[in-house]
Amino acid sequence: MNKHLVIVILAFFLISLPVLAETLSDMEGTNGIESKMVQTYEEDVTGNRQKDQIILKGVPYDETSLYLKEITLQVQTDQNQSFSIPLEGGYEPFAEFKDMNHDGVKDVFVSVSAGGSGGIYNYYLYSFKDSHEVNLTVPKPLVIQGQFTDGYKATVSIPVTKESYTIDLKNRKKEYDRLGLYINGKLNEPTELMIDPYSYMKPKEYGEKGYGLKAIQAISGAYHADRIGQVESDWSYKDGKWNLMGAALIPSK
């Protein structure tokens, strides 16, 4: 074969490698498992009154796993513009469409279960008004302080609201004594409560304020399944940021 022709073919092959790699990456995960569509929607998210296509895709950990190690939010507008946003891995990604920033156009709110006994979820919120991608984020979890106290009780405080609560846990005396958490009603050693990030967050309409977010953070005692309450918070988006409208502790029954 002509030496110059060989050089041309080799050069073309080297130039094509990045394109080939990108194509394979879109089709498959790192272990060769194909990406699959998990959810598809049609909504106007750009504000031109035409339906856009919203797709949630994922790459399973293996061929039998429900866990998606890679999740992608894809938006294809009616004007053939496309957006692709990588999300954290997890289970059962799901999207909702509400005008959360009050600009007259629906935004994309995505929830992804992180799995595990804590029931933790990751949440994402994006605007695509006028075909511009903007990450609106979601509120950060509240700082919550909690600890066991003598007499089979626990105290919980929410610094941002300056509210404190006392929870009576005498109905768990037998279990806490078995675990050695209490001895004769006295706390064996200083022990903090388990404060989770969000286990629940949903768009909610707040009258004239429009849509905001209702969020829940679970509070557990000796172990995750020992649920003793939850802090519920309400949020509204204004002036480019999330504003807390209120938060309160709801003890478990």
Short mmCIF file of all heavy atoms in Angstrom, two decimals, residues 165-169 172 219 227-232 248-253:
data_model
loop_
_atom_site.label_atom_id
_atom_site.label_comp_id
_atom_site.label_asym_id
_atom_site.label_seq_id
_atom_site.Cartn_x
_atom_site.Cartn_y
_atom_site.Cartn_z
N TYR A 165 -37.27 22.49 71.51
CA TYR A 165 -38.34 21.55 71.82
C TYR A 165 -37.79 20.46 72.74
O TYR A 165 -36.61 20.10 72.67
CB TYR A 165 -38.87 20.89 70.55
CG TYR A 165 -39.32 21.87 69.48
CD1 TYR A 165 -38.40 22.43 68.60
CD2 TYR A 165 -40.66 22.21 69.35
CE1 TYR A 165 -38.81 23.31 67.60
CE2 TYR A 165 -41.08 23.08 68.35
CZ TYR A 165 -40.15 23.63 67.49
OH TYR A 165 -40.55 24.50 66.50
N THR A 166 -38.67 19.91 73.57
CA THR A 166 -38.34 18.75 74.40
C THR A 166 -39.28 17.62 74.04
O THR A 166 -40.50 17.80 73.97
CB THR A 166 -38.49 19.09 75.90
OG1 THR A 166 -37.58 20.14 76.24
CG2 THR A 166 -38.17 17.86 76.75
N ILE A 167 -38.70 16.43 73.79
CA ILE A 167 -39.49 15.26 73.40
C ILE A 167 -39.43 14.23 74.52
O ILE A 167 -38.34 13.86 74.98
CB ILE A 167 -38.94 14.63 72.10
CG1 ILE A 167 -38.87 15.68 70.99
CG2 ILE A 167 -39.81 13.46 71.67
CD1 ILE A 167 -38.23 15.16 69.72
N ASP A 168 -40.58 13.77 74.97
CA ASP A 168 -40.67 12.74 76.01
C ASP A 168 -40.54 11.37 75.35
O ASP A 168 -41.31 11.01 74.46
CB ASP A 168 -42.02 12.84 76.73
CG ASP A 168 -42.07 11.96 77.97
OD1 ASP A 168 -41.41 10.91 77.98
OD2 ASP A 168 -42.79 12.31 78.92
N LEU A 169 -39.53 10.59 75.80
CA LEU A 169 -39.24 9.28 75.21
C LEU A 169 -39.40 8.14 76.22
O LEU A 169 -38.81 7.07 76.04
CB LEU A 169 -37.83 9.28 74.63
CG LEU A 169 -37.53 10.34 73.55
CD1 LEU A 169 -36.05 10.37 73.21
CD2 LEU A 169 -38.36 10.05 72.29
N ARG A 172 -39.95 4.50 75.35
CA ARG A 172 -38.85 3.72 74.78
C ARG A 172 -37.85 3.29 75.86
O ARG A 172 -36.75 2.85 75.55
CB ARG A 172 -38.14 4.53 73.69
CG ARG A 172 -39.13 5.10 72.67
CD ARG A 172 -38.47 5.93 71.61
NE ARG A 172 -39.50 6.67 70.87
CZ ARG A 172 -39.47 6.89 69.56
NH1 ARG A 172 -38.48 6.42 68.83
NH2 ARG A 172 -40.44 7.57 68.98
N ILE A 219 -35.47 12.96 62.20
CA ILE A 219 -34.63 12.93 63.40
C ILE A 219 -34.79 11.56 64.06
O ILE A 219 -35.91 11.12 64.34
CB ILE A 219 -35.03 14.03 64.39
CG1 ILE A 219 -34.91 15.41 63.72
CG2 ILE A 219 -34.17 13.97 65.65
CD1 ILE A 219 -35.36 16.54 64.60
N ARG A 227 -37.11 6.42 64.89
CA ARG A 227 -37.55 7.75 64.50
C ARG A 227 -38.30 8.43 65.64
O ARG A 227 -39.28 7.90 66.14
CB ARG A 227 -38.46 7.64 63.27
CG ARG A 227 -38.94 8.95 62.69
CD ARG A 227 -37.81 9.74 62.05
NE ARG A 227 -37.12 8.99 61.03
CZ ARG A 227 -37.55 8.89 59.76
NH1 ARG A 227 -38.64 9.50 59.38
NH2 ARG A 227 -36.86 8.20 58.88
N ILE A 228 -37.83 9.60 66.03
CA ILE A 228 -38.49 10.29 67.14
C ILE A 228 -39.17 11.59 66.70
O ILE A 228 -39.89 12.21 67.48
CB ILE A 228 -37.49 10.59 68.29
CG1 ILE A 228 -36.43 11.59 67.83
CG2 ILE A 228 -36.84 9.31 68.79
CD1 ILE A 228 -35.51 12.02 68.95
N GLY A 229 -38.94 11.99 65.46
CA GLY A 229 -39.62 13.19 64.99
C GLY A 229 -39.07 13.65 63.65
O GLY A 229 -38.19 13.00 63.06
N GLN A 230 -39.58 14.76 63.18
CA GLN A 230 -39.10 15.35 61.94
C GLN A 230 -39.31 16.85 61.97
O GLN A 230 -40.24 17.36 62.62
CB GLN A 230 -39.83 14.75 60.73
CG GLN A 230 -41.33 14.99 60.72
CD GLN A 230 -42.04 14.20 59.64
OE1 GLN A 230 -41.65 13.05 59.33
NE2 GLN A 230 -43.06 14.78 59.04
N VAL A 231 -38.42 17.56 61.29
CA VAL A 231 -38.55 19.00 61.17
C VAL A 231 -39.09 19.30 59.78
O VAL A 231 -38.50 18.91 58.76
CB VAL A 231 -37.21 19.73 61.39
CG1 VAL A 231 -37.33 21.20 61.01
CG2 VAL A 231 -36.78 19.59 62.85
N GLU A 232 -40.23 19.98 59.74
CA GLU A 232 -40.85 20.37 58.49
C GLU A 232 -40.57 21.85 58.23
O GLU A 232 -40.71 22.68 59.14
CB GLU A 232 -42.36 20.11 58.54
CG GLU A 232 -42.70 18.63 58.76
CD GLU A 232 -44.18 18.36 58.70
OE1 GLU A 232 -44.96 19.30 58.39
OE2 GLU A 232 -44.59 17.20 58.95
N ALA A 248 -40.78 23.81 61.91
CA ALA A 248 -41.24 23.34 63.21
C ALA A 248 -40.96 21.86 63.37
O ALA A 248 -40.89 21.12 62.38
CB ALA A 248 -42.74 23.60 63.37
N LEU A 249 -40.78 21.43 64.61
CA LEU A 249 -40.58 20.02 64.92
C LEU A 249 -41.94 19.34 65.08
O LEU A 249 -42.82 19.84 65.79
CB LEU A 249 -39.78 19.87 66.20
CG LEU A 249 -39.68 18.44 66.76
CD1 LEU A 249 -38.80 17.58 65.87
CD2 LEU A 249 -39.19 18.44 68.20
N ILE A 250 -42.08 18.18 64.46
CA ILE A 250 -43.27 17.34 64.60
C ILE A 250 -42.82 16.02 65.23
O ILE A 250 -42.18 15.21 64.57
CB ILE A 250 -43.97 17.06 63.27
CG1 ILE A 250 -44.18 18.38 62.49
CG2 ILE A 250 -45.28 16.32 63.48
CD1 ILE A 250 -45.07 19.36 63.17
N PRO A 251 -43.11 15.80 66.53
CA PRO A 251 -42.69 14.54 67.17
C PRO A 251 -43.41 13.34 66.56
O PRO A 251 -44.56 13.45 66.10
CB PRO A 251 -43.09 14.73 68.64
CG PRO A 251 -43.28 16.21 68.80
CD PRO A 251 -43.77 16.70 67.47
N SER A 252 -42.74 12.20 66.56
CA SER A 252 -43.38 10.96 66.08
C SER A 252 -44.40 10.50 67.11
O SER A 252 -44.23 10.68 68.32
CB SER A 252 -42.32 9.88 65.87
OG SER A 252 -41.41 10.25 64.86
N LYS A 253 -45.48 9.89 66.59
CA LYS A 253 -46.52 9.41 67.50
C LYS A 253 -46.15 8.05 68.06
O LYS A 253 -45.43 7.29 67.46
CB LYS A 253 -47.85 9.31 66.74
CG LYS A 253 -48.34 10.67 66.25
CD LYS A 253 -49.65 10.54 65.53
CE LYS A 253 -50.17 11.89 65.05
NZ LYS A 253 -51.44 11.78 64.30
#
